[in-house]
Amino acid sequence: MYTALPRPLPAAAEAETVTHLEIEPSILYFGTPVVLLSTENQDGSFNLAPISSAWALGHTVVIGLGREGQTAHNLGSRPDLVISLPAPAQWPSVERLAPLTGRNPVPASKPEGCRFEPDKFAAAGLTGEPSQLVRPPRVAGCPIQLEARAARVRPDASGDFVIVEAVVRKVHADSRIVVPGTDHIDPAAWSPLVYNFRHYFGLGPELGHSYRTQTPPDAKEPAS
Ligand SMILES: Cc1cc2nc3c(=O)[nH]c(=O)nc-3n(C[C@H](O)[C@H](O)[C@H](O)COP(=O)(O)O)c2cc1C
Protein backbone atom coordinates (compact mmCIF):
# COMPACT_ATOMS: atom_id res chain seq x y z
CA MET A 1 0.00 0.00 0.00
CA TYR A 2 1.19 3.51 -0.82
CA THR A 3 2.12 5.58 2.22
CA ALA A 4 2.84 9.26 1.76
CA LEU A 5 6.43 10.28 2.48
CA PRO A 6 7.19 12.93 5.06
CA ARG A 7 7.53 16.42 3.65
CA PRO A 8 10.14 17.63 3.08
CA LEU A 9 12.10 14.53 2.12
CA PRO A 10 15.31 13.81 4.06
CA ALA A 11 18.28 16.02 3.15
CA ALA A 12 20.92 15.18 0.53
CA ALA A 13 23.37 13.35 2.81
CA GLU A 14 20.75 10.79 3.77
CA ALA A 15 19.56 10.59 0.15
CA GLU A 16 22.76 8.69 -0.80
CA THR A 17 21.07 5.50 0.36
CA VAL A 18 17.88 6.16 -1.65
CA THR A 19 16.91 3.67 -4.35
CA HIS A 20 15.69 5.19 -7.60
CA LEU A 21 13.26 3.23 -9.76
CA GLU A 22 13.15 3.56 -13.53
CA ILE A 23 9.51 4.37 -14.19
CA GLU A 24 7.37 5.43 -17.13
CA PRO A 25 4.88 7.95 -15.72
CA SER A 26 1.99 8.95 -17.98
CA ILE A 27 2.44 12.60 -17.07
CA LEU A 28 5.32 14.85 -16.01
CA TYR A 29 3.33 17.56 -14.25
CA PHE A 30 5.97 18.06 -11.56
CA GLY A 31 4.34 21.05 -9.92
CA THR A 32 3.86 24.33 -11.75
CA PRO A 33 1.52 27.23 -10.97
CA VAL A 34 -1.96 27.25 -12.45
CA VAL A 35 -2.91 30.22 -14.61
CA LEU A 36 -6.29 31.06 -16.08
CA LEU A 37 -6.12 32.28 -19.68
CA SER A 38 -8.84 34.64 -20.93
CA THR A 39 -8.98 34.87 -24.72
CA GLU A 40 -11.45 36.22 -27.26
CA ASN A 41 -13.66 33.92 -29.31
CA GLN A 42 -14.49 34.63 -32.94
CA ASP A 43 -17.97 35.94 -32.00
CA GLY A 44 -16.54 38.45 -29.50
CA SER A 45 -17.37 36.39 -26.39
CA PHE A 46 -14.57 35.26 -24.10
CA ASN A 47 -13.08 31.87 -23.27
CA LEU A 48 -11.36 30.86 -20.05
CA ALA A 49 -8.98 27.91 -19.60
CA PRO A 50 -6.81 26.59 -16.75
CA ILE A 51 -3.23 25.95 -17.81
CA SER A 52 -0.23 24.79 -15.79
CA SER A 53 2.40 24.75 -18.54
CA ALA A 54 3.37 28.39 -18.06
CA TRP A 55 6.54 30.09 -16.88
CA ALA A 56 8.04 33.56 -17.06
CA LEU A 57 11.19 34.64 -18.85
CA GLY A 58 11.64 38.31 -18.05
CA HIS A 59 8.30 39.84 -19.04
CA THR A 60 7.47 37.06 -21.49
CA VAL A 61 5.30 34.20 -20.32
CA VAL A 62 5.87 30.97 -22.26
CA ILE A 63 2.74 28.82 -22.40
CA GLY A 64 2.15 25.29 -23.74
CA LEU A 65 -1.32 24.62 -25.16
CA GLY A 66 -3.07 21.67 -26.74
CA ARG A 67 -3.15 22.45 -30.46
CA GLU A 68 -6.85 21.76 -30.87
CA GLY A 69 -8.19 23.65 -27.86
CA GLN A 70 -10.17 26.86 -28.14
CA THR A 71 -7.44 28.86 -26.39
CA ALA A 72 -4.80 27.93 -28.99
CA HIS A 73 -7.35 28.55 -31.73
CA ASN A 74 -8.16 32.02 -30.35
CA LEU A 75 -4.55 33.09 -29.87
CA GLY A 76 -3.71 32.12 -33.44
CA SER A 77 -6.14 34.78 -34.69
CA ARG A 78 -6.64 37.21 -31.77
CA PRO A 79 -3.39 37.55 -29.81
CA ASP A 80 -4.60 39.48 -26.77
CA LEU A 81 -5.00 37.54 -23.53
CA VAL A 82 -5.08 37.88 -19.77
CA ILE A 83 -3.07 35.53 -17.57
CA SER A 84 -4.81 35.48 -14.17
CA LEU A 85 -3.11 33.64 -11.30
CA PRO A 86 -5.55 32.11 -8.81
CA ALA A 87 -4.83 31.72 -5.12
CA PRO A 88 -4.76 28.20 -3.60
CA ALA A 89 -8.29 28.60 -2.17
CA GLN A 90 -9.66 29.06 -5.69
CA TRP A 91 -8.81 25.50 -6.73
CA PRO A 92 -12.47 24.32 -6.80
CA SER A 93 -13.25 26.97 -9.46
CA VAL A 94 -10.23 25.83 -11.45
CA GLU A 95 -11.33 22.21 -11.24
CA ARG A 96 -14.85 23.13 -12.38
CA LEU A 97 -13.23 24.37 -15.61
CA ALA A 98 -11.20 21.18 -16.08
CA PRO A 99 -13.71 19.16 -18.16
CA LEU A 100 -14.84 22.11 -20.29
CA THR A 101 -13.78 23.40 -23.69
CA GLY A 102 -14.85 26.48 -25.59
CA ARG A 103 -14.42 24.53 -28.82
CA ASN A 104 -17.55 23.31 -30.61
CA PRO A 105 -17.66 20.55 -31.73
CA VAL A 106 -15.41 19.05 -29.04
CA PRO A 107 -12.17 17.85 -30.74
CA ALA A 108 -11.55 14.09 -30.67
CA SER A 109 -8.21 14.74 -28.93
CA LYS A 110 -9.97 16.02 -25.77
CA PRO A 111 -10.25 13.54 -22.87
CA GLU A 112 -13.41 11.53 -22.38
CA GLY A 113 -16.09 13.53 -20.57
CA CYS A 114 -14.92 16.87 -21.95
CA ARG A 115 -17.87 19.01 -23.03
CA PHE A 116 -18.47 22.29 -24.83
CA GLU A 117 -19.26 25.25 -22.58
CA PRO A 118 -19.76 28.70 -24.12
CA ASP A 119 -19.72 30.58 -20.78
CA LYS A 120 -16.90 29.16 -18.71
CA PHE A 121 -16.81 32.14 -16.34
CA ALA A 122 -20.36 31.35 -15.19
CA ALA A 123 -19.74 27.59 -15.19
CA ALA A 124 -16.79 28.06 -12.82
CA GLY A 125 -18.54 30.64 -10.64
CA LEU A 126 -15.98 33.25 -11.68
CA THR A 127 -16.52 36.85 -12.75
CA GLY A 128 -14.71 38.85 -15.38
CA GLU A 129 -13.55 42.40 -14.79
CA PRO A 130 -12.49 44.79 -17.56
CA SER A 131 -8.87 44.92 -18.62
CA GLN A 132 -7.17 48.19 -19.50
CA LEU A 133 -5.12 47.36 -22.60
CA VAL A 134 -6.71 44.19 -24.00
CA ARG A 135 -10.27 43.03 -24.72
CA PRO A 136 -10.34 39.73 -22.78
CA PRO A 137 -11.35 40.31 -19.15
CA ARG A 138 -9.29 39.66 -16.04
CA VAL A 139 -10.59 37.07 -13.58
CA ALA A 140 -11.91 38.97 -10.56
CA GLY A 141 -10.56 37.62 -7.30
CA CYS A 142 -7.28 36.37 -8.77
CA PRO A 143 -4.49 38.12 -6.83
CA ILE A 144 -2.25 38.56 -9.90
CA GLN A 145 -3.56 39.43 -13.36
CA LEU A 146 -1.29 39.97 -16.37
CA GLU A 147 -2.56 41.69 -19.49
CA ALA A 148 -0.55 40.34 -22.39
CA ARG A 149 -0.23 39.84 -26.13
CA ALA A 150 0.90 36.66 -27.85
CA ALA A 151 3.96 37.70 -29.86
CA ARG A 152 4.58 34.19 -31.21
CA VAL A 153 2.36 31.13 -31.52
CA ARG A 154 4.14 28.16 -33.05
CA PRO A 155 3.89 24.37 -33.12
CA ASP A 156 5.96 22.36 -30.64
CA ALA A 157 8.25 19.55 -31.78
CA SER A 158 5.58 16.86 -31.35
CA GLY A 159 2.92 18.70 -33.36
CA ASP A 160 0.35 18.11 -30.61
CA PHE A 161 0.87 21.44 -28.85
CA VAL A 162 1.56 25.05 -29.60
CA ILE A 163 4.09 27.17 -27.73
CA VAL A 164 2.92 30.70 -27.05
CA GLU A 165 5.25 33.55 -26.12
CA ALA A 166 3.05 36.15 -24.43
CA VAL A 167 4.54 39.57 -23.70
CA VAL A 168 3.12 41.08 -20.51
CA ARG A 169 1.94 44.67 -20.96
CA LYS A 170 0.33 45.44 -17.59
CA VAL A 171 0.47 43.82 -14.16
CA HIS A 172 -2.38 44.05 -11.65
CA ALA A 173 -1.66 42.84 -8.12
CA ASP A 174 -3.94 42.60 -5.09
CA SER A 175 -2.72 45.33 -2.73
CA ARG A 176 -2.44 42.75 0.07
CA ILE A 177 0.39 40.92 -1.72
CA VAL A 178 2.41 44.03 -2.62
CA VAL A 179 5.20 45.25 -0.33
CA PRO A 180 3.86 48.69 0.71
CA GLY A 181 5.31 51.57 -1.26
CA THR A 182 7.12 49.31 -3.76
CA ASP A 183 6.45 47.40 -6.99
CA HIS A 184 7.45 44.12 -5.38
CA ILE A 185 5.19 41.14 -4.80
CA ASP A 186 5.64 40.00 -1.19
CA PRO A 187 6.61 36.32 -1.51
CA ALA A 188 5.47 35.69 2.05
CA ALA A 189 1.97 37.01 1.24
CA TRP A 190 1.54 35.41 -2.20
CA SER A 191 1.18 31.73 -2.93
CA PRO A 192 0.54 30.30 -6.38
CA LEU A 193 -1.87 27.42 -6.83
CA VAL A 194 0.47 24.57 -7.74
CA TYR A 195 -0.63 21.71 -10.01
CA ASN A 196 1.38 18.76 -8.74
CA PHE A 197 0.81 15.51 -10.69
CA ARG A 198 -2.90 16.44 -11.08
CA HIS A 199 -3.31 17.43 -7.42
CA TYR A 200 -3.62 20.99 -6.15
CA PHE A 201 -1.29 22.47 -3.53
CA GLY A 202 -0.32 25.87 -2.14
CA LEU A 203 3.18 26.73 -0.99
CA GLY A 204 4.65 25.36 2.23
CA PRO A 205 6.65 27.53 4.64
CA GLU A 206 9.56 29.52 3.21
CA LEU A 207 12.87 27.63 3.17
CA GLY A 208 15.21 30.48 2.23
CA HIS A 209 15.73 33.02 -0.52
CA SER A 210 17.95 33.89 -3.48
CA TYR A 211 20.92 36.19 -2.98
CA ARG A 212 19.21 38.42 -5.57
CA THR A 213 15.93 38.88 -3.73
CA GLN A 214 14.58 42.42 -3.58
CA THR A 215 12.31 41.48 -0.70
CA PRO A 216 14.52 40.09 2.07
CA PRO A 217 12.48 39.23 5.19
CA ASP A 218 13.90 42.13 7.21
CA ALA A 219 13.46 44.88 4.58
CA LYS A 220 9.78 45.01 3.70
CA GLU A 221 9.37 48.66 4.63
CA PRO A 222 9.95 51.14 1.78
CA ALA A 223 13.42 52.72 1.74
CA SER A 224 13.38 56.14 3.36
C1 LIG B 1 -5.00 22.54 -13.50
C2 LIG B 1 -5.05 22.30 -14.97
C3 LIG B 1 -3.92 22.53 -15.75
C4 LIG B 1 -3.96 22.36 -17.13
N1 LIG B 1 -2.83 22.64 -17.87
C5 LIG B 1 -2.90 22.61 -19.21
C6 LIG B 1 -1.79 23.02 -19.99
O1 LIG B 1 -0.76 23.42 -19.48
N2 LIG B 1 -1.94 23.02 -21.34
C7 LIG B 1 -3.09 22.62 -21.94
O2 LIG B 1 -3.19 22.66 -23.17
N3 LIG B 1 -4.15 22.19 -21.22
C8 LIG B 1 -4.09 22.20 -19.87
N4 LIG B 1 -5.16 21.81 -19.14
C9 LIG B 1 -6.34 21.30 -19.82
C10 LIG B 1 -7.18 22.42 -20.43
O3 LIG B 1 -7.62 23.30 -19.42
C11 LIG B 1 -8.37 21.79 -21.13
O4 LIG B 1 -7.89 21.10 -22.25
C12 LIG B 1 -9.43 22.75 -21.57
O5 LIG B 1 -10.43 22.00 -22.23
C13 LIG B 1 -8.92 23.83 -22.51
O6 LIG B 1 -10.00 24.67 -22.82
P1 LIG B 1 -10.18 25.29 -24.26
O7 LIG B 1 -10.31 24.15 -25.26
O8 LIG B 1 -11.45 26.08 -24.15
O9 LIG B 1 -8.98 26.13 -24.55
C14 LIG B 1 -5.15 21.94 -17.75
C15 LIG B 1 -6.28 21.69 -16.98
C16 LIG B 1 -6.23 21.87 -15.60
C17 LIG B 1 -7.47 21.62 -14.79
Side-chain angles (χ1 to χ4, degrees):
M1 201 183 84
Y2 171 73
T3 311
L5 289 165
R7 292 194 184 94
L9 284 172
E14 293 165 54
E16 282 168 20
T17 58
V18 164
T19 303
H20 283 85
L21 304 177
E22 293 176 22
I23 61 170
E24 295 184 2
S26 58
I27 51 167
L28 291 173
Y29 303 156
F30 44 71
T32 44
V34 176
V35 302
L36 295 173
L37 299 187
S38 317
T39 56
E40 185 174 359
N41 297 317
Q42 191 170 11
D43 64 2
S45 63
F46 298 106
N47 190 44
L48 186 65
I51 298 296
S52 62
S53 301
W55 46 276
L57 194 62
H59 276 70
T60 297
V61 178
V62 183
I63 303 165
L65 297 175
R67 181 175 63 92
E68 295 189 330
Q70 184 65 16
T71 303
H73 192 73
N74 283 346
L75 289 176
S77 312
R78 291 166 294 282
D80 283 353
L81 73 158
V82 177
I83 304 163
S84 297
L85 283 95
Q90 293 174 295
W91 79 265
S93 298
V94 170
E95 185 55 21
R96 279 196 285 273
L97 290 168
L100 309 178
T101 179
R103 194 84 191 266
N104 191 19
V106 177
S109 57
K110 290 283 187 185
E112 205 179 317
C114 182
R115 62 183 192 279
F116 169 62
E117 171 55 62
D119 187 354
K120 291 210 231 166
F121 278 89
L126 294 168
T127 311
E129 60 184 345
S131 298
Q132 288 180 14
L133 301 179
V134 301
R135 283 171 51 81
R138 300 177 278 153
V139 179
C142 283
I144 299 177
Q145 305 152 331
L146 311 174
E147 297 186 36
R149 168 166 286 219
R152 284 175 85 171
V153 181
R154 61 196 154 114
D156 81 326
S158 74
D160 293 336
F161 299 94
V162 294
I163 306 290
V164 176
E165 295 174 43
V167 178
V168 174
R169 301 176 61 198
K170 186 166 278 290
V171 178
H172 304 264
D174 184 325
S175 59
R176 293 168 297 181
I177 63 164
V178 178
V179 178
T182 76
D183 287 309
H184 301 312
I185 301 287
D186 180 353
W190 158 245
S191 170
L193 169 62
V194 174
Y195 197 47
N196 180 12
F197 288 94
R198 291 202 171 118
H199 291 241
Y200 298 98
F201 287 78
L203 290 185
E206 179 174 353
L207 302 173
H209 58 76
S210 158
Y211 78 99
R212 296 192 62 199
T213 183
Q214 293 177 299
T215 53
D218 54 353
K220 282 187 187 151
E221 297 306 317
S224 52

